[in-house]
Coordinates of all heavy atoms in Angstrom, one line a residue:
I1 N 0.8 -1.2 0.0 CA 0.0 0.0 0.0 C 0.9 1.3 0.0 O 1.7 1.4 0.9 CB -0.9 0.0 1.2 CG1 -1.9 -1.2 1.2 CG2 -1.7 1.3 1.3 CD1 -2.7 -1.4 2.4
A2 N 0.6 2.1 -1.0 CA 1.3 3.4 -1.1 C 0.3 4.5 -0.9 O -0.7 4.6 -1.5 CB 2.0 3.5 -2.5
L3 N 0.7 5.4 0.1 CA -0.2 6.5 0.4 C 0.3 7.8 -0.3 O 1.5 8.1 -0.3 CB -0.3 6.8 1.9 CG -0.7 5.6 2.8 CD1 -0.6 5.9 4.2 CD2 -2.1 5.1 2.4
P4 N -0.6 8.6 -0.9 CA -0.2 9.9 -1.5 C 0.1 10.9 -0.5 O -0.7 11.3 0.4 CB -1.4 10.3 -2.4 CG -2.6 9.6 -1.7 CD -2.0 8.3 -1.1
L5 N 1.4 11.4 -0.5 CA 1.8 12.4 0.5 C 1.8 13.8 -0.1 O 2.0 13.9 -1.4 CB 3.2 12.1 1.0 CG 3.4 10.7 1.7 CD1 4.8 10.5 2.1 CD2 2.5 10.6 2.9
P6 N 1.5 14.9 0.6 CA 1.3 14.8 2.1 C -0.2 14.6 2.3 O -1.1 14.8 1.5 CB 1.7 16.2 2.5 CG 1.4 17.1 1.3 CD 1.7 16.2 0.1
L7 N -0.5 14.2 3.6 CA -1.9 13.9 4.0 C -2.1 14.4 5.4 O -1.2 14.5 6.2 CB -2.3 12.5 3.8 CG -1.4 11.4 4.4 CD1 -1.7 11.2 5.8 CD2 -1.5 10.1 3.6
S8 N -3.4 14.7 5.7 CA -3.6 15.2 7.1 C -4.4 14.2 8.0 O -4.4 14.4 9.2 CB -4.5 16.5 7.0 OG -5.7 16.2 6.3
K9 N -4.9 13.1 7.4 CA -5.7 12.1 8.2 C -5.7 10.8 7.5 O -5.8 10.7 6.3 CB -7.1 12.6 8.5 CG -7.9 11.6 9.3 CD -9.3 12.1 9.7 CE -10.1 11.1 10.4 NZ -9.4 10.7 11.7
I10 N -5.6 9.7 8.3 CA -5.7 8.4 7.8 C -6.8 7.7 8.6 O -6.8 7.7 9.8 CB -4.4 7.6 7.9 CG1 -3.3 8.3 7.1 CG2 -4.6 6.1 7.5 CD1 -1.9 7.6 7.3
D11 N -7.7 7.0 7.9 CA -8.8 6.3 8.6 C -8.8 4.8 8.1 O -8.8 4.6 6.9 CB -10.1 6.9 8.3 CG -11.3 6.2 9.0 OD1 -11.5 6.4 10.2 OD2 -12.0 5.4 8.3
I12 N -8.8 3.9 9.0 CA -8.9 2.5 8.7 C -10.2 1.9 9.3 O -10.4 1.9 10.5 CB -7.7 1.7 9.3 CG1 -6.4 2.3 8.7 CG2 -7.8 0.2 8.9 CD1 -5.1 1.6 9.3
A13 N -11.1 1.5 8.4 CA -12.4 1.0 8.8 C -12.2 -0.4 9.4 O -11.2 -1.1 9.2 CB -13.4 1.0 7.7
N14 N -13.3 -0.9 10.0 CA -13.1 -2.3 10.7 C -13.1 -3.4 9.7 O -12.7 -4.5 10.0 CB -14.3 -2.5 11.7 CG -15.6 -2.5 11.0 OD1 -15.7 -2.3 9.8 ND2 -16.7 -2.8 11.8
D15 N -13.3 -3.1 8.4 CA -13.2 -4.2 7.4 C -11.8 -4.0 6.6 O -11.6 -4.7 5.7 CB -14.3 -4.1 6.4 CG -14.4 -2.8 5.6 OD1 -13.6 -1.9 5.9 OD2 -15.1 -2.7 4.6
G16 N -11.0 -3.1 7.1 CA -9.7 -2.9 6.5 C -9.6 -1.8 5.4 O -8.5 -1.6 4.9
T17 N -10.8 -1.2 5.1 CA -10.8 -0.2 4.1 C -10.0 1.0 4.6 O -10.1 1.5 5.7 CB -12.2 0.3 3.8 OG1 -12.9 -0.8 3.3 CG2 -12.2 1.4 2.7
L18 N -9.0 1.5 3.7 CA -8.1 2.6 4.1 C -8.5 3.8 3.3 O -8.6 3.8 2.1 CB -6.7 2.2 3.7 CG -5.5 3.1 4.1 CD1 -5.4 3.2 5.6 CD2 -4.2 2.6 3.5
S19 N -8.8 4.9 4.1 CA -9.2 6.2 3.5 C -8.2 7.3 4.0 O -7.7 7.2 5.2 CB -10.6 6.5 3.8 OG -11.5 5.5 3.4
I20 N -8.0 8.3 3.2 CA -7.2 9.4 3.6 C -7.8 10.7 3.3 O -8.7 10.8 2.5 CB -5.8 9.3 2.9 CG1 -6.0 9.6 1.4 CG2 -5.1 8.0 3.2 CD1 -4.7 10.0 0.7
R21 N -7.3 11.8 4.0 CA -7.7 13.1 3.7 C -6.4 13.9 3.3 O -5.5 14.0 4.1 CB -8.3 13.8 4.9 CG -8.7 15.3 4.6 CD -9.1 16.1 5.8 NE -10.3 15.4 6.4 CZ -10.4 15.2 7.7 NH1 -9.4 15.6 8.6 NH2 -11.5 14.6 8.2
P22 N -6.3 14.3 2.0 CA -5.1 15.0 1.5 C -5.0 16.3 2.3 O -5.9 16.9 2.8 CB -5.4 15.2 0.0 CG -6.5 14.2 -0.3 CD -7.3 14.0 0.9
Q23 N -3.7 16.7 2.4 CA -3.4 17.9 3.2 C -4.1 19.1 2.5 O -4.0 19.3 1.3 CB -1.9 18.1 3.3 CG -1.5 19.3 4.2 CD 0.0 19.3 4.4 OE1 0.7 18.6 3.8 NE2 0.4 20.1 5.4
G24 N -4.8 19.9 3.3 CA -5.5 21.1 2.7 C -6.9 20.8 2.3 O -7.7 21.7 1.9
A25 N -7.4 19.5 2.3 CA -8.7 19.2 1.8 C -9.7 19.5 3.0 O -9.3 19.6 4.1 CB -8.8 17.7 1.5
P26 N -11.0 19.7 2.6 CA -12.0 20.0 3.7 C -12.1 18.8 4.7 O -11.8 17.7 4.4 CB -13.3 20.1 2.9 CG -12.8 20.5 1.5 CD -11.5 19.8 1.3
V27 N -12.6 19.1 5.9 CA -12.7 18.1 6.9 C -13.5 16.9 6.5 O -13.3 15.8 6.9 CB -13.2 18.8 8.2 CG1 -13.4 17.8 9.3 CG2 -12.3 19.9 8.7
E28 N -14.6 17.2 5.8 CA -15.5 16.1 5.4 C -15.0 15.2 4.3 O -15.6 14.2 4.0 CB -16.9 16.7 5.1 CG -16.9 17.5 3.8 CD -16.5 19.0 4.0 OE1 -16.1 19.3 5.2 OE2 -16.6 19.8 3.1
V29 N -13.9 15.5 3.7 CA -13.4 14.8 2.6 C -12.6 13.6 3.1 O -11.6 13.7 3.9 CB -12.5 15.7 1.7 CG1 -11.9 14.8 0.6 CG2 -13.4 16.7 1.0
L30 N -12.9 12.4 2.6 CA -12.1 11.2 2.9 C -12.1 10.4 1.6 O -13.2 10.0 1.1 CB -12.7 10.3 4.0 CG -12.3 10.7 5.5 CD1 -13.0 9.8 6.4 CD2 -10.8 10.6 5.7
E31 N -10.9 10.1 1.1 CA -10.8 9.3 -0.2 C -10.4 7.9 0.1 O -9.3 7.7 0.7 CB -9.8 10.0 -1.1 CG -10.1 11.5 -1.5 CD -9.1 12.1 -2.4 OE1 -8.1 11.4 -2.7 OE2 -9.2 13.3 -2.7
E32 N -11.2 7.0 -0.4 CA -10.8 5.6 -0.2 C -9.7 5.2 -1.2 O -9.9 5.4 -2.4 CB -12.0 4.7 -0.4 CG -11.8 3.2 -0.2 CD -13.0 2.4 -0.4 OE1 -14.1 2.8 0.0 OE2 -12.9 1.3 -1.0
I33 N -8.6 4.6 -0.8 CA -7.5 4.3 -1.7 C -7.1 2.8 -1.8 O -6.6 2.4 -2.8 CB -6.2 5.1 -1.3 CG1 -5.8 4.8 0.1 CG2 -6.5 6.6 -1.4 CD1 -4.4 5.3 0.4
D34 N -7.5 2.1 -0.7 CA -7.1 0.6 -0.8 C -7.8 0.0 0.4 O -8.5 0.6 1.2 CB -5.6 0.5 -0.7 CG -5.1 -0.8 -1.4 OD1 -5.9 -1.8 -1.4 OD2 -3.9 -0.8 -1.8
R35 N -7.5 -1.3 0.5 CA -8.0 -2.1 1.7 C -7.0 -3.1 2.1 O -6.3 -3.8 1.3 CB -9.3 -2.9 1.3 CG -10.1 -3.4 2.5 CD -11.5 -3.9 2.0 NE -11.3 -5.2 1.4 CZ -11.3 -6.4 2.1 NH1 -11.5 -6.3 3.4 NH2 -11.2 -7.5 1.5
L36 N -6.7 -3.2 3.4 CA -5.8 -4.1 4.0 C -6.2 -5.5 3.6 O -7.4 -5.9 3.7 CB -5.7 -4.0 5.5 CG -5.3 -2.6 6.1 CD1 -5.3 -2.7 7.6 CD2 -4.0 -2.1 5.5

């Protein structure tokens, strides 16, 4: 798994779904990029 840098938040759901918030993006923005 490669994460696009820079980022301000990483979220891992209980099913392993990995979402990030790019640096400077609005608080409500979370982009799903992969799953463990």
Side-chain angles (χ1 to χ4, degrees):
I1 298 175
L3 304 176
L5 300 177
L7 50 84
S8 59
K9 181 175 175 59
I10 300 176
D11 180 77
I12 303 177
N14 63 356
D15 65 348
T17 299
L18 186 64
S19 303
I20 67 162
R21 178 187 302 137
Q23 189 172 10
V27 176
E28 66 275 7
V29 172
L30 276 178
E31 299 179 3
E32 181 179 324
I33 61 170
D34 209 333
R35 195 172 77 88
L36 303 180

